Amino acid sequence: MEMYENSEKIQRALLVGVDTGEYDAESSMAELYELVESAGAEPVASMMQKRDKPDGATAVGSGRLEEIKEFCLNNEIDFIVFDMELTPTQIRNIETATDTRTIDRTMLILDIFAIRAKTNEGKLQVELAQLRYLLPRLSGKGKEMSRLGGGVGTRGPGETKLETDKRHIRRRIESLKDELEGMKDRRERLRSRRKKDGIITTAIVGYTNAGKSTLMNTLTQAGVLSENKLFATLDPTSRALKLPGGMSVMMIDTVGLVRRLPHHLVEAFKSTLEEAAVADIILNVCDASSEEYKLHLEVTNSLLEELGCKGKPIITVYNKCDLVEAPYDLPKGKDSVCICAKSGIGTEELLRAIEENLPVRLRSYKLLLPFDKASLLAVLRKAGALKTEEYTNEGIVATAIVEEPLWHLVDEYSV
């Protein structure tokens, strides 16, 4: 991102789409505008061509390609971005015909990932995904490689790594896979420890820019980066959340999803999504003010199913309901909540929904503990169950929300 903040000129992009009728091309193009802006560039204009299928050589027809060339020449366009995945041959032919650097949707998303990754694991995942994607696209680059030093679609591994031969790149890919496998093992040990300690996890998932990080901040004051940009969060963030009943759960924020996200990108970032797969409760957050909120929910639900989350408690969270004219028209159910994460409206109802979906049985206690049983307070405090305590002449008066495994410890002191 700082490439643009520190330079005088923001790169200008022309967006090109091919409408074959397979998906809503206009909506996809609108999202591409947001993606380009998230990459720090300026989307100047877009062109769309209806075809039965993309042209094998240049994606678009020769007439439209000539229009693209003229537009780039007359409007100081720095790069063209196609709203589809291009083959190496198509990229080479388009660049030759238009004399303008060309990238595709996947390269753009990878570029944003490169900007957003903050943790070491996130950076390694970005590099692995980029190298895997670029490996078959290196042949015949020649003079084009000299242009890889800067610009949208070129960040991440960088010029030096991409100029090495394919053998070195394959070695680097294997090295990255080994490093990530080691990190995966550490993450699994951490999850096992959480489970052993009885920590309940709640994962926030959903379409990118739905307000997941804002919700995380509102509920836990986590200070997670929260911007009106796609893929603002790339690395999973975990924070403790205390529920009204006194119990604590671990909240985990995950990377946002996007339509037509190439499968190998999902594979590359499975670690952030695995947090959802092993969570006890899932919050599926969607932007209720979007005309396509139903589609966004479908995208998320299908991926959750792919990750093996079927059967887990999933709470649908309709966010930005303050921007919806008739929020009461939204689908209702015992596992759906309308909120405004920014203002906090509806979050109490959400917390109650989380409590109702907890995988453990809870019981509210008022206790009178003898002084020689004060050690029980430490047990309850560690379990996040202790709400109040007061030392009196008769003993220690305490109130607690206790999980079933601990009931036998406190039953005889209940009053």
Side-chain angles (χ1 to χ4, degrees):
M1 177 65 100
E2 60 188 18
M3 181 182 302
Y4 301 103
E5 292 169 349
N6 296 335
S7 62
E8 293 178 12
K9 182 178 178 290
I10 291 177
Q11 290 201 335
R12 292 161 60 83
L14 170 64
L15 284 55
V16 179
V18 178
D19 183 2
T20 60
E22 284 183 38
Y23 52 86
D24 187 336
E26 284 189 19
S27 296
S28 186
M29 185 66 80
E31 186 174 84
L32 192 67
Y33 262 86
E34 288 188 66
L35 288 167
V36 170
E37 287 175 340
S38 290
E42 179 191 355
V44 176
S46 65
M47 292 186 183
M48 183 79 72
Q49 185 175 45
K50 287 197 173 191
R51 297 179 62 91
D52 292 336
K53 62 178 183 178
D55 183 82
T58 55
V60 294
S62 56
R64 182 51 55 94
L65 196 61
E66 189 61 35
E67 287 178 38
I68 292 170
K69 177 184 177 181
E70 288 299 315
F71 188 90
C72 291
L73 186 65
N74 297 328
N75 293 276
E76 297 182 5
I77 297 298
D78 296 294
F79 69 99
I80 304 164
V81 55
F82 273 71
D83 191 30
M84 57 183 286
E85 194 165 302
L86 297 172
T87 65
T89 302
Q90 286 171 329
I91 291 175
R92 191 161 58 249
N93 290 341
I94 294 165
E95 286 187 338
T96 301
T98 63
D99 197 31
T100 306
R101 187 166 60 86
T102 300
I103 65 173
D104 62 18
R105 184 185 179 89
T106 303
M107 292 163 74
L108 179 63
I109 292 172
L110 280 167
D111 191 75
I112 297 169
F113 279 7
I115 301 167
R116 299 282 183 255
K118 299 294 181 237
T119 66
N120 188 40
E121 184 176 13
K123 289 173 183 175
L124 292 178
Q125 286 174 323
V126 168
E127 184 175 349
L128 177 60
Q130 287 185 310
L131 289 176
R132 278 175 164 168
Y133 189 70
L134 290 170
L135 185 60
R137 289 162 170 77
L138 293 180
S139 57
K141 279 283 186 183
K143 66 185 179 69
E144 291 101 320
M145 289 300 292
S146 63
R147 294 196 293 214
L148 286 178
V152 171
T154 67
R155 288 168 285 210
E159 183 176 8
T160 52
K161 285 196 182 75
L162 296 180
E163 283 180 332
T164 57
D165 62 36
K166 289 190 174 186
R167 221 169 34 252
H168 290 155
I169 289 177
R170 288 195 183 98
R171 272 203 296 270
R172 178 61 181 160
I173 286 173
E174 290 307 311
S175 171
L176 288 168
K177 283 162 67 177
D178 289 343
E179 283 188 71
L180 287 168
E181 195 60 37
M183 290 179 173
K184 182 181 178 183
D185 291 341
R186 286 195 293 275
R187 200 167 52 249
E188 284 175 356
R189 285 197 297 273
L190 178 62
R191 289 192 194 121
S192 297
R193 194 160 68 243
R194 282 180 191 163
K195 196 166 185 177
K196 188 179 176 183
D197 293 342
I199 296 172
I200 295 170
T201 53
T202 302
I204 306 177
V205 302
Y207 211 76
T208 188
N209 213 28
K212 298 185 302 300
S213 298
T214 303
L215 177 60
M216 179 87 155
N217 288 338
T218 300
L219 294 178
T220 69
Q221 290 79 51
V224 183
L225 172 67
S226 176
E227 293 183 43
N228 186 28
K229 289 181 178 175
L230 301 185
F231 300 115
T233 303
L234 193 56
D235 300 297
T237 304
S238 304
R239 291 292 184 275
L241 168 68
K242 195 154 190 174
L243 298 172
M247 193 164 177
S248 291
V249 296
M250 181 74 73
M251 296 287 291
I252 300 166
D253 190 15
T254 62
V255 63
L257 307 175
V258 65
R259 87 187 72 213
R260 294 170 51 229
L261 185 63
H263 188 72
H264 54 272
L265 291 194
V266 175
E267 284 297 316
F269 289 86
K270 272 280 177 71
S271 70
T272 63
L273 298 168
E274 277 172 5
E275 296 291 354
V278 297
D280 297 291
I281 300 170
I282 296 166
L283 305 185
N284 185 357
V285 182
C286 77
D287 177 359
S289 67
S290 167
E291 292 179 359
E292 298 189 303
Y293 77 87
K294 289 181 182 176
L295 174 65
H296 295 179
L297 285 175
E298 283 174 20
V299 169
T300 314
N301 284 327
S302 64
L303 184 59
L304 287 173
E305 197 166 322
E306 187 184 322
L307 288 168
C309 298
K310 202 169 183 180
K312 287 181 183 284
I314 299 176
I315 302 170
T316 302
V317 182
Y318 297 103
N319 189 28
K320 306 184 188 181
C321 285
D322 55 319
L323 304 177
V324 180
E325 283 186 25
Y328 44 81
D329 287 341
L330 291 168
K332 290 292 190 300
K334 69 180 184 73
D335 294 326
S336 62
V337 182
C338 288
I339 68 162
C340 172
K342 204 169 185 180
S343 67
I345 294 171
T347 51
E348 288 183 12
E349 189 182 342
L350 174 58
L351 293 176
R352 281 197 299 273
I354 294 172
E355 279 191 326
E356 288 170 9
N357 282 282
L358 289 173
V360 291
R361 293 175 64 201
L362 301 172
R363 187 179 286 173
S364 180
Y365 280 91
K366 183 175 181 181
L367 305 169
L368 178 60
L369 297 173
F371 291 114
D372 63 350
K373 295 295 180 182
S375 59
L376 271 178
L377 293 177
V379 174
L380 295 173
R381 195 177 289 113
K382 185 179 179 183
L386 190 63
K387 292 185 73 178
T388 64
E389 58 183 292
E390 182 185 353
Y391 285 77
T392 69
N393 293 332
E394 290 78 26
I396 308 165
V397 177
T399 58
I401 306 290
V402 185
E403 294 179 33
E404 186 174 13
L406 300 179
W407 290 353
H408 71 283
L409 295 176
V410 295
D411 272 343
E412 64 180 291
Y413 306 111
S414 179
V415 295

